[in-house]
Amino acid sequence: MSSENDPSNLLYEAITAPKKKLAFFVGAGISVNSGLEDFKGFSKQFLGSIGPSTWADKDNEDVGLIIDRLRPEVLLQVIQQIHGNNSLKFYNSLDSGIPNSNHYFLALALLKGHCVFTTNVDTLIEKACENIGIACQPIFYEKHYQNFLKNQPVDFSSHLFKLHGSIEPNKAGLSKYKSIRFTLNRVGLGLGENTAKVLSTCLQERDFIFLGYSGNDHFSVHPELLRTDSDQKVYWFKFLPETTLKYTSSSSDYQSQRNNLLKEASKNLSAAKWEDISLREVLIKREPRSFLIEGNSSSFIKKILKELVSSDEFPEYLKLNSKLESFQADFNNLKRERKSSLSWVKNITDFKRHLCAAMLWIRVRNLTNADLELKYADECAKDDKEKAEVEKLRATTYSITRRSDEEKPSKEDLLKAMGKFRSQGDLVAMVEAHLELANILRIKRDFDIALDELDKIEQELVTIKPELQKQKRAYDYPRLMAYLLFLRGLVYGLGRKGTFEDKIKGIECCYKASDFASRAGDVARKASILNAQGLIISQLAERTDSMFQEAEKSLNEALALHARIGDPRSCFQPSRNLLLVHRLRLLHSKSKVRDHWLDVAWEESSRTRDYLKQVKAGSGEPTRDKIELRFRRAQLLGFKGETYKANKEFKKVLGYWAKKKDSHQQARVWQELLSLAENQEEIQNCLSNLLNIIESLFQSEDEQDKYKNDRLRLENIMDMLIDAYDKAYEINDQESLNRIINLGSQGEKIATNIGDDNLICCFKIYSSIPLHSPIPLEEVPYPQMKSTRG
């Protein structure tokens, strides 16, 4: 039977009668039967050893959550900052084990001229080769990859590539982990340049078979798999306990499967299947030349080897037979002899346990748990030096997410912190505090000052980059650059004047920021960047319809990454922005496809609501997010023709903003109620309330100050006046028409004061309308602004 119909035959042919040279990519799953933990078990072991006492429980939910979010290499990098080289001793548990059938299969694959890539640092493949007399010279140092590329054309045949380094059992002490330490220092920088080139070149030249690999490696390998274009095939074996191997679906299903998995994640993030999502992302990249195979590949490989050893055709098979027969006895002896090398963890203080836990929670963006662990660490601190470590770590949390007003540090606090960190030589904390200062200036809409600060920070980062490398904190440079460029993108794209030129600058900054975030392996930051990028593009799409699809692409990717982090609050943002894009498509669509986009927008609003349900709110009062979602759903109900329900929801929103005394938001709601008004009495009531609010806004000095830094706010008022004029003209309401014309003149003066030529031109339309003889707006010979009621 051919491998096209029987996936087990694909493995059999590879080591008996290969039709072409293949590349195998293997992960920790192939070594489980050798007594080694998979990456989750490995992570659970050392987190239970160095974390707070509650983490020692094998079923601890906090440990499970951290393991789901961070790769072992990332975990160990964090732990290394506190415990130094002692953290490398965890790898001693991998410096043992007996090669199993999978390792002997790969040894035979190397003999047949195939190549093997692995993220494993154990030496079981090498041991398997040695046991049956097959030459094997693994490549795992960056300089070795560089030398490999010097031989052109590159020949991958019979090479073993270890992408994350390797234990070197012939060396003594910690020196045996030298290449692994190099990998840990590169977390956040991706694969080395030459390592990445070897992998990408092979991806372009050979079909790949993935065995025992989750694909959930987002700091180094997964980006390369997605980045590399290739017309070669990919066969991905996913473990299931079933004894049969079978192709699961055609390639056309992978995108829909991924979307369905993400949809399930929106309802319950903790139950999300990220490994399934990650591998499908690779398969989507290669469709239609990608195949997903489910079942127990190890079981089939064992059967293949048993069949081969019955033949005496090759001497390797005779040696293999001996090793397979003695495997269980050797494995039992190993279990009895294995000793723990983690005696040093008994001396870890409670202070360091809680500080380490706080660092890990910060990396997964769970600031609630991070704050709690910092509180415990502070209580356990025995001197001023340890208390300073707590404060230094607490300062970094402010650059991760926006805090509530009462928690946010003041400008003075941050300037003081910057000076303190500079005097202590803590360059990273100094830059983080400076970035938070720029962020506060952005939030306060002091955009030009924020940009000046960001320019200063960029110069600081360039200056301290060499020192960061000396301190083995090279990871921090791309991480901080990603945040800097993200803030700059927000200022240009969603702040300042909102011009086309500024928005293009904002998108360019987001592209650069996204690249730095990828290099840093900072999934949370990249998700935030893509969310901002999608929103900026969607605003441009209002002027250029063809950009909607690009906006949706960025927002969908942002949502996928936020969902992987597991924070429902963060997931809400791109989901809400997707809802806005779908609504814009609805407004821009012709009648025949309008119903489609209405259905899509309504479905997205339901998903957004599911995310909000998972957010823990502190009080019983609705949050602004819930009110915003209610407002958007009410808009969609209006489009559906369900006027009664829409009015009911809008009035709930109106009550909220009235309680908050936010006149601008109240005006937005009255604008929507006006669009739904069905008779003259309702229209006049809505017009009266809307125009009263606009008049009060135009008379407010505080409001006029806001227009200087928020042109969109004034554009919204202009949009409201357009809708109001159309409705007043429809029912011949002369009093309202005169009020609108006068408000238009006031708007022109405000636009003149802030120097916005576009708004001056748009408000000027009203000065051309005869005060007592109104005409339809479309007949006025001035540029118009299409109302979208945003």
Side-chain angles (χ1 to χ4, degrees), residues 196-234:
K197 189 171 182 180
V198 168
L199 176 58
S200 63
T201 303
C202 195
L203 285 165
Q204 293 168 334
E205 293 186 6
R206 294 194 175 196
D207 292 349
F208 264 67
I209 295 177
F210 289 83
L211 294 168
Y213 179 63
S214 68
N216 214 12
D217 176 6
H218 296 277
F219 84 95
S220 60
V221 175
H222 191 260
E224 204 62 45
L225 297 178
L226 296 182
R227 190 181 296 121
T228 305
D229 293 319
S230 174
D231 58 2
Q232 302 299 315
K233 294 178 181 178
V234 164

Side-chain angles (χ1 to χ4, degrees), residues 348-523:
I348 299 176
T349 64
D350 286 340
F351 167 76
K352 285 196 172 183
R353 290 181 183 277
H354 290 299
L355 193 71
C356 185
M359 291 181 71
L360 291 168
W361 284 124
I362 288 171
R363 284 299 292 267
V364 299
R365 296 302 193 267
N366 188 323
L367 296 191
T368 301
N369 286 357
D371 285 340
L372 188 62
E373 293 296 341
L374 285 171
K375 175 177 173 289
Y376 294 150
D378 192 44
E379 292 172 354
C380 296
K382 66 178 185 294
D383 52 35
D384 290 342
K385 182 180 178 182
E386 289 189 345
K387 285 186 177 294
E389 285 188 66
V390 174
E391 289 309 310
K392 182 171 67 175
L393 193 56
R394 183 174 281 124
T396 68
T397 66
Y398 289 108
S399 66
I400 292 174
T401 187
R402 286 178 59 175
R403 302 295 192 102
S404 61
D405 291 337
E406 60 270 16
E407 291 180 312
K408 201 174 296 169
S410 67
K411 179 179 178 180
E412 291 71 26
D413 290 337
L414 288 167
L415 288 170
K416 184 178 178 181
M418 287 163 57
K420 179 181 177 182
F421 292 140
R422 188 186 298 275
S423 66
Q424 293 174 345
D426 192 337
L427 304 177
V428 172
M430 177 192 73
V431 172
E432 285 174 329
H434 203 166
L435 282 166
E436 184 56 25
L437 174 62
N439 189 34
I440 286 176
L441 291 168
R442 177 191 69 83
I443 293 168
K444 291 182 176 180
R445 310 195 76 78
D446 293 329
F447 296 126
D448 290 334
I449 301 175
L451 286 175
D452 288 342
E453 292 300 324
L454 290 171
D455 289 342
K456 293 176 186 176
I457 297 168
E458 187 167 12
Q459 292 174 3
E460 285 177 345
L461 277 171
V462 171
T463 303
I464 70 173
K465 185 179 179 181
E467 185 60 29
L468 292 177
Q469 292 174 328
K470 287 182 184 178
Q471 295 179 7
K472 297 181 179 179
R473 298 192 67 175
Y475 154 80
D476 286 301
Y477 178 76
R479 179 177 68 84
L480 294 170
M481 279 299 297
Y483 188 36
L484 183 151
L485 289 164
F486 169 58
L487 292 178
R488 192 176 280 162
L490 289 177
V491 172
Y492 279 116
L494 300 173
R496 283 173 61 91
K497 298 179 181 180
T499 63
F500 186 86
E501 181 182 3
D502 276 347
K503 291 194 178 296
I504 293 299
K505 282 184 181 178
I507 292 172
E508 289 175 351
C509 288
C510 286
Y511 279 132
K512 293 177 183 177
S514 180
D515 181 58
F516 274 110
S518 294
R519 287 165 55 189
D522 194 339
V523 176

Side-chain angles (χ1 to χ4, degrees), residues 21-34:
K21 301 287 179 64
L22 303 170
F24 287 87
F25 197 113
V26 298
I30 68 163
S31 299
V32 172
N33 292 337
S34 293

